Amino acid sequence: MKEVYAPFIPGTYNENNLDELSVLLEKGKKYAIDNLLWSDTGYFPSVSFSIAHTGDGIALKYFVKEQHTSATYKTVNDPVYKDSCVEFFISFGDGQYYNLEFNALGTALVGFGEDRHGRTPVPDDRVSSIKALSNINWAENTDGFNTWDLTLLVPFDVFIYHDIKTLNGTTSQANFFKCGDDLPQPHFISWSNIDSPVPDFHLSQFFGTIKFI
């Protein structure tokens, strides 16, 4: 089973100093999202992430290089998976998990449940508390590659079905993804490989492990 290690970053972060957190994540260990699934086109965006935790949330930074980038959805819990989208699914050990999905602008969609069917949306006000810092560099022509990064701070309050005060010293199950359902070249890429004949990120038996240290 794949593992990532999420170190503790001291300090308090919000929209006013998220750039400082972004720099710290930039310096951290990067993990590749490099399992190209359910595709034979050869199109393979380059994606990696770094992860940490703070006193009140999970910090993530995604790094993406791709030819086609779309960022149209701007309202909380919109279908951002149709845009250029990075995703983070996490379970705290009870067989259910949260799906957190973000387009290149940082617009977020969050749900909760035990599989892909009948997921319960996390209320908009909780999802709106996620802090995001987006940086998109557009290619000079359509044949070039866009690069973008996205820094995220997910407060523990977003995980409304769990009373999380700290993650220090704990272990969770998770997977990380890149997709874009409505892009000119749709794709599905995962960190921990998924053995399924049909596209489905919602298979928690293939989650890897996060150790919060």
Side-chain angles (χ1 to χ4, degrees):
M1 181 178 291
K2 297 188 77 170
E3 292 183 343
V4 298
Y5 293 87
F8 178 73
I9 295 179
T12 301
Y13 298 93
N14 54 43
E15 60 275 2
N16 297 318
N17 64 348
L18 199 58
D19 56 335
E20 298 176 16
L21 182 61
S22 182
V23 169
L24 294 172
L25 289 166
E26 181 92 29
K27 296 177 180 178
K29 180 176 175 60
K30 298 180 179 66
Y31 298 88
I33 299 174
D34 57 3
N35 289 288
L36 181 63
L37 305 168
W38 312 300
S39 173
D40 57 6
T41 68
Y43 180 66
F44 199 160
S46 173
V47 192
S48 61
F49 70 93
S50 61
I51 184 169
H53 63 112
T54 70
D56 56 7
I58 296 175
L60 281 163
K61 187 169 184 177
Y62 287 89
F63 309 86
V64 180
K65 181 179 180 180
E66 62 182 353
Q67 188 172 8
H68 308 289
T69 301
S70 173
T72 59
Y73 291 99
K74 299 179 181 179
T75 302
V76 164
N77 282 332
D78 271 354
V80 295
Y81 51 85
K82 296 181 179 182
D83 276 342
S84 297
C85 183
V86 289
E87 304 186 358
F88 169 49
F89 289 18
I90 185 167
S91 171
F92 296 107
D94 54 3
Q96 298 181 305
Y97 62 92
Y98 298 87
N99 59 293
L100 298 95
E101 309 177 16
F102 307 90
N103 69 7
L105 293 176
T107 306
L109 178 156
V110 183
F112 180 76
E114 62 182 18
D115 55 33
R116 71 175 301 110
H117 303 290
R119 298 196 65 74
T120 301
V122 171
D124 290 1
D125 62 331
R126 295 295 183 97
V127 179
S128 295
S129 71
I130 298 174
K131 308 296 188 297
L133 178 64
S134 169
N135 178 39
I136 304 175
N137 295 301
W138 299 96
E140 294 183 0
N141 56 68
T142 56
D143 293 329
F145 284 79
N146 308 310
T147 59
W148 54 274
D149 59 72
L150 181 66
T151 301
L152 301 160
L153 180 59
V154 183
F156 295 143
D157 287 349
V158 171
F159 306 113
I160 60 173
Y161 299 102
H162 295 80
D163 183 21
I164 299 174
K165 303 300 183 186
T166 180
L167 287 172
N168 194 40
T170 68
T171 298
S172 296
Q173 294 71 50
N175 211 345
F176 302 81
F177 307 103
K178 169 72 174 72
C179 65
D181 289 17
D182 283 358
L183 297 184
Q185 295 198 59
H187 52 274
F188 306 90
I189 313 172
S190 70
W191 165 67
S192 182
N193 191 35
I194 298 173
D195 184 10
S196 170
V198 296
D200 191 353
F201 284 164
H202 292 264
L203 295 174
S204 59
Q205 64 267 36
F206 297 110
F207 284 9
T209 298
I210 305 175
K211 294 185 175 180
F212 294 94
I213 56 177

